[in-house]
């Protein structure tokens, strides 16, 4: 026999839901007992069928593709997002300075450092070269070492006054002429074994200087990359803040638009009534 | 070899960031889906998802394993969703018109899917979404956790901090409202079709 009105003595709503989801909060006996009731109760059976239908409908609702490109789509990004967030949260006081001011400070610092480090940038037939440190260029080194040998005063190739360059050029010319004369005379007097040793020494010194220059160039490139990375992180943090602020402004604007629209509607209705 | 959540948590606490990344990859979609179905906005759901993992990452050293890692994550996400809903109620935004949003359609369109298929899919999904939006928060959350995340009644009760019987009642009431609203929507669509 099938009942059209439910006569279940317990909490029917809870029992229906538990039966529907087949959850383990019921003992086997309770479940079996309610199963027997459902088989004889048309009301409960209909309601269970309707609920199963709703569950099928719910299955149609899928969230849109999250597109985690900017969140956690892959591990390195996730870590970088966490690192960035940690960097923002634990930022020291100086990171609250605007990015442009930090860039300006960084450039000033680089400029002063370059000045102190005797930065020498050259663009000639050999291409672009950046030289730092107190090592002199090869030509200048030859000129300055040759000068005492010639008995003249040592003049740095790096002068401030405009005439210094002319003076150095003149000195180089004179010392070159004198050296040519000296080497021609010395070549005949010196033993042949000494010359290769000197050449080897010069080669080694040059190799050392080259290596040192390369190392300094690498160091400079590394520092520039670090500054760029820091600027980029700060820029992203600033963008996130701006984005958040814009969102708040957008919300406020939305509310204002809604209010205005309501007022216009009200006025419109009022004008209709007046007519 | 596949590590369990608990093993990955232990390794993460020990300083292995790759393990935490693995946890993120494993749980980002369920957490996003939970957030989306609770607050109903893609962009905000993504934010909630991201924030959930950031909070979890920060709080990981304090995680003692009293609950499952997934339950712990769900709790963080639900708290964030609750905060979001509270904020939105204070500063409501203008709701978009109920008709099909062309911009949204354009954004959601995939090359392999025709616009007709897309509209049909969106319509079906939208009907459920609208009906779910009508539910009170606690009923909606109970349904989402049970229906889409397969949590037991006991787990839901612990997550939401309410008795088992309350969870069941919320589910029953929620399903009843959904049944009514979906039937109403069905009738309206049928009426429109006959006109």
């Amino acid at each position: 026999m099938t009942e059209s009105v439910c006569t279940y003595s317990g909490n029917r709503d809870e029992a229906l839901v538990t039966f529907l989801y087949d959850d383990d909060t019921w003992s086997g006996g309770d479940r079996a007992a309610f199963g027997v009731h459902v088989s004889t109760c048309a009301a409960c059976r209909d309601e269970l069928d309707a609920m199963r239908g709703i569950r099928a409908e719910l299955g149609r609702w899928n969230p849109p593709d999250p597109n985690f490109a900017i969140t956690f789509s892959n591990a390195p990004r996730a870590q970088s997002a966490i690192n960035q967030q940690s960097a923002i949260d634990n930022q020291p006081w100086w990171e609250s300075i605007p990015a442009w001011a930090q860039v300006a400070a960084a450039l000033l610092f680089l400029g002063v450092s370059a000045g102190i480090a005797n930065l020498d940038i050259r663009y000639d037939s050999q291409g672009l070269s950046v030289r730092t440190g107190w090592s002199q260029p090869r030509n200048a080194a030859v000129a300055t070492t040759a000068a005492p040998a010639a008995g003249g005063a040592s003049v740095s190739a790096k002068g401030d006054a405009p005439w210094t360059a002319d003076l150095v050029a003149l000195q180089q010319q004179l010392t070159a002429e004198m050296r040519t004369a000296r080497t021609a005379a010395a070549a005949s007097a010196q033993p042949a074994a000494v010359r290769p040793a000197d050449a080897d020494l010069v080669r080694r010194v040059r190799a050392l200087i080259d290596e040192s220059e390369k190392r300094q160039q690498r160091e400079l490139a590394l520092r520039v990359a670090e500054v760029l990375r820091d600027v980029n992180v700060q820029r992203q943090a600033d963008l996130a803040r701006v984005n958040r602020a814009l969102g708040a402004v957008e919300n406020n604007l939305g509310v204002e638009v809604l209010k205005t629209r309501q007022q216009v509607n009200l006025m419109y209705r009022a004008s209709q009534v007046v007519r | 070899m596949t590590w369990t959540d608990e093993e990955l948590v232990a390794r993460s606490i020990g300083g292995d960031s790759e393990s935490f990344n693995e946890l993120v990859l494993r749980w980002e979609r369920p957490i996003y889906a939970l957030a989306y179905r609770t607050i109903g906005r893609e962009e905000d759901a993504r934010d909630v998802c991201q924030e959930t993992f950031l909070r979890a990452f920060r709080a990981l050293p304090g995680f003692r394993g009293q609950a499952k890692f997934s339950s712990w994550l769900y709790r963080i996400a639900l708290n964030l969703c609750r905060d979001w809903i509270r904020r939105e109620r204070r500063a409501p935004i203008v709701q978009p018109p109920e008709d099909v949003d062309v911009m949204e359609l354009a954004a959601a369109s995939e090359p392999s899917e025709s616009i007709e298929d897309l509209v049909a899919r969106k319509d079906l999904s939208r009907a459920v979404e609208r009906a779910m939006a009508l539910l009170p928060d606690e009923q909606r959350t109970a349904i989402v956790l049970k229906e889409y995340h397969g949590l037991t009644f006991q787990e839901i009760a612990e997550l939401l901090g309410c008795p088992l019987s309350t969870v069941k009642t919320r589910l029953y009431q929620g399903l009843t409202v959904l049944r009514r609203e979906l039937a109403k929507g069905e009738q309206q669509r049928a009426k429109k079709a006959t006109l």
Side-chain angles (χ1 to χ4, degrees):
Chain A
M1 196 183 94
T2 302
E3 301 164 13
S4 58
V5 178
C6 182
T7 56
Y8 183 66
S9 54
N11 187 327
R12 182 174 172 271
D13 300 350
E14 284 183 29
L16 276 172
V17 167
T18 315
F19 193 79
L20 177 72
Y21 285 103
D22 199 14
D23 200 272
D24 58 0
T25 50
W26 252 356
S27 68
D30 291 340
R31 183 176 168 73
F34 192 73
V36 170
H37 166 75
V38 168
S39 65
T40 59
C41 177
C44 285
R45 232 184 5 256
D46 290 349
E47 192 152 5
L48 274 173
D49 285 346
M51 284 181 169
R52 287 190 186 109
I54 295 298
R55 289 192 67 190
E57 296 265 323
L58 285 174
R60 291 173 176 173
W61 183 30
N62 291 314
D65 185 22
N67 184 16
F68 281 116
I70 55 165
T71 52
F72 294 106
S73 63
N74 58 40
R77 278 188 185 144
Q79 194 54 47
S80 112
I82 286 166
N83 290 343
Q84 278 180 20
Q85 185 64 30
S86 305
I88 292 165
D89 291 341
N90 303 324
Q91 60 186 0
W93 62 269
W94 52 268
E95 284 191 7
S96 58
I97 299 169
W100 61 266
Q102 287 189 44
V103 171
L107 288 175
L108 183 66
F109 176 75
L110 276 176
V112 171
S113 306
I116 292 171
N118 198 21
L119 185 69
D120 181 18
I121 300 171
R122 248 167 226 280
Y123 184 70
D124 52 20
S125 58
Q126 292 177 341
L128 180 70
S129 67
V130 179
R131 194 187 300 275
T132 60
W134 295 111
S135 62
Q136 296 292 326
R138 276 176 212 163
N139 293 344
V142 170
T144 49
T145 49
S154 171
V155 179
S156 169
K158 197 172 164 65
D160 290 331
W163 46 264
T164 312
D166 295 336
L167 193 63
V168 169
L170 180 64
Q171 189 194 16
Q172 278 176 353
Q173 192 185 343
L174 284 170
T175 50
E177 284 172 10
M178 288 172 77
R179 192 177 54 201
T180 313
R182 277 172 70 91
T183 40
S188 56
Q190 277 183 348
V194 179
R195 275 176 284 148
D198 284 349
D200 187 45
L201 183 67
V202 169
R203 210 168 31 245
R204 275 164 55 195
V205 168
R206 280 182 181 169
L208 281 173
I209 291 169
D210 283 349
E211 199 180 317
S212 166
E213 284 168 357
K214 278 178 191 163
R215 198 169 50 242
Q216 285 167 355
Q217 284 174 14
R218 275 202 301 273
E219 187 71 14
L220 182 66
L222 198 68
R223 295 281 167 265
V224 170
E226 277 178 1
V227 169
L228 285 176
R229 195 197 55 201
D230 289 348
V231 167
N232 199 29
V233 167
Q234 185 60 40
R235 187 178 63 85
Q236 286 178 344
D238 288 346
L239 278 175
R241 279 198 206 105
V242 168
N243 201 18
R244 240 176 274 150
L246 275 178
V249 169
E250 205 172 292
N251 281 355
N252 292 338
L253 193 65
V255 174
E256 289 304 317
V257 169
L258 185 65
K259 280 180 186 168
T260 312
R261 202 176 288 170
Q262 283 171 346
Q263 282 172 353
V264 169
N265 285 344
L266 196 66
M267 286 164 68
Y268 177 73
R269 274 191 232 113
S271 69
Q272 294 289 316
V273 171
V274 169
R275 277 184 195 171
Chain B
M1 181 184 170
T2 310
W3 302 93
T4 64
D5 284 353
E6 283 64 35
E7 286 167 338
L8 287 172
V9 167
R11 290 166 68 90
S12 302
I13 292 172
D16 180 11
S17 59
E18 277 306 308
S19 296
F20 188 75
N21 286 332
E22 180 62 36
L23 286 169
V24 171
L25 288 173
R26 197 176 282 185
W27 286 102
E28 64 183 352
R29 279 178 188 270
I31 293 294
Y32 163 77
L34 172 69
Y36 179 79
R37 289 188 173 112
T38 307
I39 63 183
R41 286 200 207 174
E42 195 180 343
E43 194 70 26
D44 294 317
R46 271 213 303 264
D47 288 349
V48 164
C49 179
Q50 189 164 356
E51 185 64 24
T52 300
F53 285 106
L54 290 173
R55 288 201 182 183
F57 182 75
R58 279 193 222 116
L60 209 57
F63 178 68
R64 295 275 170 261
Q66 307 92 325
K68 281 199 307 189
F69 176 73
S70 57
S71 304
W72 186 62
L73 266 186
Y74 280 140
R75 181 171 292 130
I76 296 174
L78 284 174
N79 284 337
L80 286 168
C81 288
R82 212 171 289 153
D83 292 347
W84 185 91
I85 289 168
R86 214 173 289 145
R87 260 198 326 270
E88 284 300 300
R89 280 194 186 134
R90 269 207 306 274
I93 65 154
V94 179
Q95 293 298 317
E98 288 204 346
D99 299 332
V100 174
D101 187 340
V102 180
M103 291 300 285
E104 192 187 331
L105 279 177
S109 177
E110 292 160 18
S112 57
E113 197 174 21
S114 74
I115 198 78
E116 290 81 11
D117 291 345
L118 182 64
V119 170
R121 181 168 63 82
K122 293 288 277 186
D123 270 354
L124 289 172
S125 180
R126 200 181 286 265
V128 178
E129 194 170 348
R130 278 196 198 128
M132 286 288 281
L134 294 173
L135 295 179
D137 296 337
E138 61 272 14
Q139 289 177 16
R140 184 170 57 249
T141 305
I143 288 178
V144 167
L145 290 173
K146 185 70 194 167
E147 199 61 51
Y148 299 105
H149 297 271
L151 269 64
T152 64
F153 290 129
Q154 190 62 47
E155 285 171 333
I156 298 174
E158 282 165 14
L159 254 180
L160 301 180
C162 62
L164 201 63
S165 58
T166 307
V167 173
K168 291 180 181 178
T169 306
R170 284 178 184 174
L171 264 166
Y172 177 80
Q173 289 171 343
L175 289 174
T176 308
V177 174
L178 284 179
R179 184 182 165 190
R180 192 179 61 224
E181 291 301 324
L182 287 173
K184 213 189 281 178
E186 198 78 27
Q187 283 169 5
Q188 281 172 356
R189 272 197 297 278
K191 207 183 282 180
K192 268 186 194 172
T194 52
L195 284 176

